[in-house]
Amino acid sequence: MTPFDATNIALPGIAKSTPPKADGVPTYMHDVYDWAYLNPRNVRLLDREIVVELILWGNGHRLKQALLTEINPDARVLQAAHVYGTLISEIAAKLTHPSQLEVVEVAPVQAARCREKLRKFPEAIVHVGDASTFRTTPKNLVSSFFLLHEIPSDYKRAMVNTFLAHVDEVGKAVFIDYHQPHMMHPLRPLMALIFDLFEPFAKELCAHEISDYADDADAFEWRTETYFGGLYQKTVAERR
């Protein structure tokens, strides 16, 4: 097996996640991502555009543009989770009316950062809640930017299905995330190590199509573009 060969990782059935902590944040986030997303000091240090570019090997701007090109200025948008860097404010700035943007974020410290970035767009709405069970009005576009690789299998299934349920009759869901890189990709061994150390749920995502997590995949047209030697993907699900 090559260092990044995820092809033999089975797609588990839906399992029950451990219950959230008293703050409503899922236990897996406390266990795996406390240092990155819940520790207030580290949040301030890491929430910078330069950090995003470094983590994504200089592809941050390119991947943001891949998402932004899918957004019509008149669209009603649901953004799943706060994103480090400038993406949130760029989405709001592209919309004709910032009130068309809703963001749902499970961690209160992240929701607060999101609200700070949207100070110029006070009409935008930031909810504190679990995106896997969140309910709001149907949207023209639902966005997930590097979220699915950070969540366990049952959350992946629940979130993909929740996102798709919010797509209106002419809408789409856009997923920007990791993907299985080409066999000869020079970063393949290093990314395998990074995933083993810091992203324990990422290899499973790389082993499957995002449509594998959808209960009603046939209700959508799926298209996928890959970037940077296959390491990243944009997968779009448009309602038929």
Side-chain angles (χ1 to χ4, degrees), residues 45-56:
L45 291 173
L46 295 173
D47 188 7
R48 304 171 189 271
E49 193 68 16
I50 185 61
V51 173
V52 175
E53 287 293 337
L54 288 171
I55 290 173
L56 297 178

Side-chain angles (χ1 to χ4, degrees), residues 20 77 100 176 195 198 200 229:
V77 176
Q100 299 161 204
I176 309 287
F195 286 168
F198 302 109

Side-chain angles (χ1 to χ4, degrees), residues 76-93:
R76 301 183 310 279
V77 176
L78 175 62
Q79 165 64 33
H82 171 235
V83 179
Y84 283 171
T86 61
L87 177 64
I88 295 294
S89 56
E90 290 183 53
I91 293 174

Side-chain angles (χ1 to χ4, degrees), residues 14-33:
I14 297 178
K16 291 183 178 179
S17 292
T18 52
K21 299 282 188 178
D23 60 2
V25 177
T27 299
Y28 79 86
M29 285 194 67
H30 284 279
D31 293 342
V32 179
Y33 295 114

Side-chain angles (χ1 to χ4, degrees), residues 67 77-84 87-88 91 101-107 110 114 125-127 129-134 136 139 141-148 150-151 155 158-160 162-164 166 173-177:
L67 169 59
V77 176
L78 175 62
Q79 165 64 33
H82 171 235
V83 179
Y84 283 171
L87 177 64
I88 295 294
I91 293 174
L101 173 62
E102 288 185 59
V103 183
V104 56
E105 167 59 57
V106 73
Q110 294 292 331
C114 188
I125 302 169
V126 180
H127 303 275
D130 188 334
S132 68
T133 58
F134 184 71
T136 186
K139 304 299 180 188
L141 186 139
V142 181
S143 165
S144 169
F145 193 87
F146 284 92
L147 173 62
L148 290 183
E150 294 186 330
I151 57 181
Y155 272 95
M159 286 196 179
V160 168
T162 296
F163 298 162
L164 295 179
H166 281 91
V174 182
F175 304 90
I176 309 287
D177 222 304

Side-chain angles (χ1 to χ4, degrees), residues 158-192:
M159 286 196 179
V160 168
N161 283 300
T162 296
F163 298 162
L164 295 179
H166 281 91
V167 175
D168 69 13
E169 65 276 5
V170 294
K172 58 188 172 183
V174 182
F175 304 90
I176 309 287
D177 222 304
Y178 286 106
H179 184 269
Q180 181 93 295
H182 296 161
M183 287 294 295
M184 300 305 293
H185 198 299
L187 292 177
R188 189 178 175 109
L190 179 57
M191 290 306 301

